[in-house]
Amino acid sequence: MNFSIFGSEGSYAHAFGIISGKQSKLFDFRVFESLINAKSVSEVIASLEGTEYDLDMREVISAKINIKNLENALNKNFLRNCNEIFSVLPKGDAEALSFIVFEELNLRKLISIIRRLHSNLKETRDERHFFIPYIKAEIDYDKIFSEISDETQERVEKFISKIYGTKYYFALRNKIEDYKKLGNTMPLECELIKKFTKDAETIAKKKGSQGLREFLSIKIDIINLKTLLRGKLNAIPYEDFLLPNGLYLKEKELRLLLKSDVENFSKILEFSPYSISVNEAILAYKRERSLLNLEISLDKLMYHIIKEKAMLTPLSIYSILSFIAEKEREIKNLQLIFHFKECGLTAQDIRETISMLQ
Amino acid sequence: MAGIVELATGLITGNVLAATGVAIAVVVAGLSSAKGLEISGSTAAAVTGEKEENFSNALVLEALPQTQCVYGFIVGVLITLGIMSGNMTLEKGLIGLAAGITVGITGISAISQGKVASAAIGATTKNPKISGKVLIFIVMPEIAALFGFVTAVLLLVSGKVF
């Protein structure tokens, strides 16, 4: 008898139960609409009474109602939800998954900050990509920002020198010259992502299940697609930034894509589930020449793949990832609502920004 | 060597074969039910923990992988009755063993049923209106076990085992 049938389904079934319960509590558009229409931050907080966020909001009220405390409370809620799910998984998968989920969030935050410094963005709506829950950041971003006020490239360089001692420092330091030469943050970002995927692969190989390794391969495919499209559309040399071990995009496919124009990408990718979404991503980029739009399209693709796999195999890592993506989106929207309410933006403006990011 | 064969042949009596059938029926079906219930029960407990009102729906769906264990138990009891009657010939013992294997192996469907039940509990938590509909999906893997059970009982009846 194959004893794998007596494997870890029990743990995943437990996690699936927790997720199903939590998914039924996620906010639908009606709740968001009422939050968007609230007159002030205090009214938004009051509307969250009796919801998942009740406890977190009470903590904020008992301390001080400001954006930083609210963001911390939402991050805490996200962390609590994730840890509750991870705690019932087999140990290896829990460790690998918590690294992948939390580290990716930290990395996305770090990348958004590097971009912000590079473009010298002020506190405006353009800062929307800044709203990402982050977990175990070793970096005091507020302190660093208060000390940086130079010109564009020096700002980024100074920021990197300020994070000396963290695990990101050497990866970024090695690519400063490339960044300066290109005048684009892509080398810095790709180096961080490369380090992340390498670490994630090592952990998944050592401790994770087959499902986790497959997820990582899909992730590598999406990262490579982002790099390829970004590089092609911005005419940046990017060959060195491509990652090995993708699920569909192996060396042969990557070589084909490298030689091809972006218009032919969807044809080359016909054998994979990425074909249609790649076209959409290119169109989204071309509409506003916006890198953010391109990334949102490809993140959406990743989300759809995860959701589809979660539907086909509910007792798998994909159900967990699908919930985490939904929860992250909910928290991001709440952060946006709080921030824009504080800035005094109209309900219509908030609605538009949120729908654009969906 | 000839002595060992003689000893082994001497050990294979109708009672021994029938008892092996009982063990297979009860243990394999029971273990499978336990695993199926572990899967569906874990989900049921977790959704109830998240929202108490999920309890009643989860309970019905969670309990279904239990039936394979009941089938195994019934077939086990019927074969045991045959052993207790004292008329267990070698032929009847073989029929008992076959019946035990049939109900035991088809009882493994409890594991698949547990997975379906788990997914169904999750779906019902998100949309309580579908609790009746998802029941049909959970009953599907039951059919294999039911066929196994009916076949096993027919075998026992036709072989006049009990």
Side-chain angles (χ1 to χ4, degrees), chain B:
Chain B
M1 187 66 188
I4 295 170
V5 172
E6 201 177 314
L7 185 71
T9 318
L11 277 176
I12 301 173
T13 62
N15 277 346
V16 169
L17 289 172
T20 313
V22 173
I24 291 170
V26 177
V27 172
V28 178
L31 261 180
S32 305
S33 271
K35 183 65 193 174
L37 284 170
E38 182 208 349
I39 296 168
S40 61
S42 303
T43 309
V47 296
T48 310
E50 285 294 319
K51 247 188 195 173
E52 218 180 314
E53 53 264 42
N54 292 327
F55 173 73
S56 50
N57 273 337
L59 180 72
V60 176
L61 304 173
E62 184 256 342
L64 283 166
Q66 183 76 57
T67 50
Q68 281 82 345
C69 174
V70 176
Y71 299 152
F73 174 69
I74 293 171
V75 170
V77 168
L78 291 178
I79 302 169
T80 310
L81 285 175
I83 298 170
M84 284 163 72
S85 71
N87 296 324
M88 190 61 74
T89 60
L90 196 64
E91 186 191 346
K92 283 183 182 178
L94 264 173
I95 293 172
L97 176 64
I101 291 172
T102 307
V103 83
I105 302 290
T106 52
I108 294 176
S109 64
I111 299 171
S112 318
Q113 198 171 30
K115 289 179 190 174
V116 182
S118 173
I121 294 166
T124 315
T125 308
K126 287 172 214 159
N127 182 6
K129 285 182 209 156
I130 58 165
S131 61
K133 287 176 185 160
V134 292
L135 203 63
I136 300 166
F137 302 129
I138 310 175
V139 171
M140 295 292 176
E142 183 78 25
I143 292 169
L146 199 63
F147 285 167
F149 174 63
V150 172
T151 309
V153 172
L154 284 175
L155 273 173
L156 296 176
V157 171
S158 62
K160 294 186 178 126
V161 174
F162 60 93

Side-chain angles (χ1 to χ4, degrees), chain A residues 229 233 262-263 276-290 293-294 297:
Chain A
L229 286 172
L233 294 165
V262 283
E263 280 72 23
I276 298 168
S277 301
V278 162
N279 253 349
E280 281 169 14
I282 295 165
L283 287 174
Y285 174 81
K286 284 185 177 167
R287 255 197 314 272
E288 290 180 48
R289 307 272 318 152
S290 160
N293 285 356
L294 178 87
S297 298

Side-chain angles (χ1 to χ4, degrees), chain A residues 31-65:
Chain A
V31 179
F32 273 118
E33 195 53 35
S34 74
L35 294 175
I36 288 168
N37 288 324
K39 288 190 179 73
S40 61
V41 170
S42 309
E43 213 178 300
V44 177
I45 295 173
S47 307
L48 292 173
E49 205 177 300
T51 68
E52 265 275 291
Y53 300 94
D54 199 5
L55 189 78
D56 310 290
M57 291 302 125
R58 270 185 218 175
E59 273 177 30
V60 174
I61 294 166
S62 65
K64 193 185 172 196
I65 300 178

